[in-house]
Amino acid sequence: MTRKLQSNAVQAYLDQHKDEAQHLLERLCRQRSVAAQNDGVEEMANLVESLLAENGFSIQRLTVDDAPPVIFGEIRGRSPFTLLLYNHYDVQPAEPLELWDTPPFEPTIRDGKLYARGSSDNKAEIAARLTAIRALRAAHGELPITIRWMIEGEEEIGSIHFDEIARKYAHLLQGDGALWEGSGFDEDGRPSLVLGCKGLVYVQLDVQGVGVDAHSGNAPILPSAAWRLVQALASLRTPEGKVLIPGFYDAVMTPSEAEIEALASQGDHEELLKKAFAVETFNDNLTGIELRKRQAFSPTCNIAGLLSGYTGEGTKTVLPAKAMAKIDFRLVPEQDPDDIVAKLRAHLDAHGYQDISITTFGNAEPVMTPLAHPFAQRVAHIAEEYAEKPVSITPLGGGTLPLLGSMRKHVNLLGLMAPGNAAYWGSAAHSPNEHIRLSDLERAVSYNCYMFTALGEE
């Protein structure tokens, strides 16, 4: 590599503190911080605040009513370049607990991997970024750039108060560039950049049939909430996945030639994905560029959960009084979340399902930084220089970061995901036995040292 670290002093620090990021990650993962259950979130905010303060950040809590604080810190650097970092300190619920090989909040090392809830999503990146900052300050007495860092506690429940935060504190969230929760390196060692995220609408559909569960012998004369719901769901999309809600695709952006070329230049990791998801083929037997285009640029209507009637062991002949489905729509530019909910309501009404209620739990706009954006080009060049391999660019990732729309609207700041995270394709984020590979954590620290230094060069 041409200049993987900026000085012998930085390398010496990392050699002498080889396990520092691991110990930080273990400390972070031992603290429960499940936003959906309000489990340990306050304690986690205190821990994050103390860690940043101990490492030279001037700290401010960004607060709005009924929300955990966003911990905001700033360190002034040598160059005028200001980088805004984003992470979150909350994690997904650990259930089902019986599927974990070791307790989710007791970090465990096995086969060179660290297992714990939140390890890959996204406490490892907090540990990697903080360790890199420690190394640079220890080696040079200061940072090469000014770093502003916001770490929130509601990402896993949709960042439901972040729009208020961004509007109230827009003056603090300025920068010359922004790096969101990051990406990593692919299995060929190519650095991965993600330039945007799909939007999201999460809704619940509820049906009330009879007043109480009834004996199924009454099925000839009583309405079934379960059947009514599944028939309504079947009206939403074809077996092949095409969404049938009128106007659903009207605003969908057509990808540019440059974006298609970026997808085409990615490495072929289809067999790894099949292994990760335990499937033999993808939908419609897709492969190659068509598979990548579908993943990146197709909006979706996904059933996330269904509940009705008796679901215990054995039999219970019951006609369910209620039925419920949770649905998420992943949206692409330029679809609008509120417009999609309105179209869903109109579709159900038009098909005679006026009795089905819709509850919206959250939404987020799709946001994508253009390939030609100067900051995106600069980070791509830095990543290629570090790895001495071509960068792999994903124009639009399949997940959602709810804050991106608020940052665009209130701060007028776009960003991207750079390969400073330790997660990889098999990390099992949101699943039992979530983990990171320790070798990826070490590389993430090294890359962050390199990137922060490179951004400070004229």
Side-chain angles (χ1 to χ4, degrees):
M1 298 183 182
T2 40
R3 48 187 184 105
K4 189 162 184 173
L5 293 168
Q6 296 306 302
S7 72
N8 291 334
V10 172
Q11 183 64 66
Y13 181 92
L14 295 180
D15 290 342
Q16 294 165 11
H17 300 80
K18 192 173 181 62
D19 298 327
E20 185 171 292
Q22 176 187 329
H23 294 156
L24 268 173
L25 178 56
E26 290 172 349
R27 185 177 174 187
L28 291 165
C29 289
R30 284 193 190 97
Q31 175 56 58
R32 308 168 76 94
S33 53
V34 184
Q37 301 165 348
N38 194 26
D39 182 3
V41 175
E42 181 179 352
E43 293 83 355
M44 189 70 207
N46 293 337
L47 174 58
V48 168
E49 183 177 40
S50 66
L51 286 173
L52 265 60
E54 290 166 10
N55 288 278
F57 282 88
S58 59
I59 302 296
Q60 182 173 345
R61 288 192 168 210
L62 312 186
T63 59
V64 295
D65 291 343
D66 302 319
V70 174
I71 305 302
F72 176 83
E74 181 181 69
I75 295 181
R76 301 298 298 176
R78 184 174 61 250
S79 85
F81 188 89
T82 297
L83 177 67
L84 179 71
L85 299 178
Y86 166 85
N87 288 103
H88 60 91
Y89 59 80
D90 63 315
V91 302
Q92 283 281 321
E95 288 81 0
L97 299 178
E98 67 274 10
L99 296 183
W100 285 81
D101 294 333
T102 51
F105 296 103
E106 296 179 15
T108 305
I109 307 297
R110 297 196 305 274
D111 302 321
K113 300 171 182 175
L114 187 149
Y115 289 82
R117 172 54 88 224
S119 55
S120 71
D121 189 12
N122 93 299
K123 293 179 178 180
E125 186 165 50
I126 296 175
R129 286 174 168 175
L130 188 56
T131 302
I133 289 166
R134 284 181 175 181
L136 290 168
R137 293 184 74 229
H140 302 303
E142 62 180 346
L143 290 181
I145 58 175
T146 291
I147 290 182
R148 294 174 175 167
W149 199 352
M150 56 174 172
I151 308 179
E152 71 151 319
E154 288 188 316
E155 194 274 343
E156 298 293 8
I157 56 172
S159 298
I160 52 180
H161 293 94
F162 193 86
D163 195 72
E164 294 177 69
I165 291 285
R167 181 170 56 248
K168 182 177 179 180
Y169 295 102
H171 62 289
L172 294 177
L173 305 181
Q174 304 293 328
D176 298 305
L179 295 178
W180 314 129
E181 182 179 344
S183 58
F185 293 78
D186 68 20
E187 293 304 295
D188 298 325
R190 292 177 60 183
S192 298
L193 267 63
V194 182
L195 301 185
C197 292
K198 289 185 178 179
L200 177 71
V201 173
Y202 199 103
V203 301
Q204 180 173 310
L205 305 185
D206 286 285
V207 180
Q208 179 73 55
V210 293
V212 294
D213 286 357
H215 189 294
S216 67
N218 294 307
I221 62 170
L222 294 178
S224 166
W227 275 114
R228 186 155 182 80
L229 178 61
V230 297
Q231 288 160 350
L233 293 174
S235 77
L236 296 181
R237 52 160 264 179
T238 68
E240 295 75 29
K242 181 181 178 181
V243 180
L244 297 175
I245 299 171
F248 182 79
Y249 295 98
D250 286 355
V252 169
M253 178 197 74
T254 300
S256 67
E257 289 186 12
E259 290 158 352
I260 298 300
E261 288 174 4
L263 292 177
S265 70
Q266 294 176 343
D268 180 2
H269 303 296
E270 293 179 20
E271 294 307 314
L272 288 177
L273 289 174
K274 290 176 183 177
K275 180 180 178 181
F277 297 113
V279 298
E280 294 183 1
T281 60
F282 299 105
N283 288 347
D284 300 327
N285 293 311
L286 288 173
T287 188
I289 186 60
E290 294 305 317
L291 176 68
R292 298 173 202 172
K293 286 168 60 178
R294 175 82 65 88
Q295 171 72 355
F297 293 112
S298 290
T300 64
C301 173
N302 172 65
I303 298 174
L306 286 169
L307 184 65
S308 186
Y310 178 70
T311 58
E313 294 184 11
T315 64
K316 182 181 181 183
T317 52
V318 63
L319 185 143
K322 298 179 180 180
M324 176 272 286
K326 292 183 182 289
I327 298 175
D328 63 69
F329 295 90
R330 297 284 178 175
L331 309 179
V332 301
E334 303 287 334
Q335 289 179 301
D336 176 75
D338 293 333
D339 178 63
I340 294 302
V341 174
K343 286 180 165 62
L344 171 64
R345 179 75 271 170
H347 169 85
L348 292 173
D349 291 350
H351 284 74
Y353 296 112
Q354 295 92 338
D355 57 310
I356 296 181
S357 66
I358 302 174
T359 303
T360 302
F361 287 103
N363 61 48
E365 299 175 21
V367 176
M368 185 171 65
T369 299
L371 272 169
H373 190 283
F375 181 66
Q377 290 293 309
R378 187 173 182 185
V379 174
H381 174 74
I382 290 169
E384 288 186 339
E385 189 179 52
Y386 172 86
E388 293 187 333
K389 291 184 177 181
V391 70
S392 176
I393 295 177
T394 298
L396 194 65
T400 298
L401 274 180
L403 75 140
L404 298 188
S406 299
M407 290 297 296
R408 179 174 61 181
K409 177 171 58 177
H410 299 301
V411 187
N412 193 29
L413 183 62
L414 296 174
L416 61 134
M417 300 178 187
N421 202 352
Y424 77 110
W425 61 270
S427 283
H430 293 209
S431 300
N433 299 311
E434 179 182 355
H435 66 277
I436 57 102
R437 299 180 296 201
L438 293 175
S439 59
D440 290 336
L441 183 61
E442 182 178 353
R443 180 168 56 181
V445 174
S446 170
Y447 173 78
N448 281 313
C449 286
Y450 184 88
M451 178 181 62
F452 295 156
T453 302
L455 286 171
E457 296 176 351
E458 296 299 331

